[in-house]
Amino acid sequence: MIEIHDTGEHGILELKMTPPVTDADYRDTLMPALDAALTRGDRLRLLAIVEAQPSDFTLGAMVQDARAGLKHWRGFDRVALVTDDRVVRMAVGGFSVFMPCPVSTFPMQEADAARRWLRESLGTIQQEDLGGGTLQVRLRGKVDGAAYEDAIGDLDSFFAAHEQVRLLIDLRDFDGWQGLDALRDHFYLVRGHAKRVQRAAIVGDAGWQEMAVQVGKRAFGIDAKYFAAADMAKAQAWLAG
């Protein structure tokens, strides 16, 4: 069964899937709701609360699911998936970088956090000149290619004004990249300025970030070190040393 809930907010659609989920649910409930929202010109933010497991979807429902995704591929502004099925969360999270809009997954107990995330603005890249050729770069949220376009001018100007640069990269509120264009722009910036970076301290709270630092050190020859989120002061001290 698919239930559509009216949130009372323009551009936000909330749905709930409970077993069994059939092709009729897509045809008679979900597709008309999506079509109605998108014909108004909305870029839709979708909250999907999925209590059903993959085995609860009929074959027809799976086919309809694929068709819905292809038909409305460019119509979504953001998608939040709420489910306790860890396999589904991992699969969606892994493929989210290929999707044309930000996608995030949440367990059932964090449904309200998913709703807040839908209402938030997209990711940003913030820069602050700390003096002495040191620049703090803070990535927040899920960063897309537009965020890099907004940041590149200021970053280029800073490097142009300093022979050697020390970077404090704050990833404590970073949720990853949205889309391959953002990932491409990230590596473009790193490669373009790597030779001018004297030292880089990366502060974060995710295991993959520490691994990425090690890969970056080898790929770009940067003197870089990873610090846990609680060790910001240590990162600043190491950067200044």
Side-chain angles (χ1 to χ4, degrees), residues 175-196:
D175 295 328
W177 295 279
Q178 175 53 48
L180 294 178
D181 58 339
L183 193 57
R184 178 203 62 210
D185 291 344
H186 177 81
F187 282 107
Y188 170 79
L189 288 179
V190 173
R191 184 177 63 249
H193 295 296
K195 294 181 179 179
R196 304 275 296 282

Side-chain angles (χ1 to χ4, degrees), residues 25 62 83 116 144 160 183 188 202 207 218 224 234:
D25 294 320
M62 293 180 183
T83 178
R116 287 194 298 270
D144 62 2
L183 193 57
Y188 170 79
I202 297 87
R218 294 181 176 87
K234 292 181 180 180

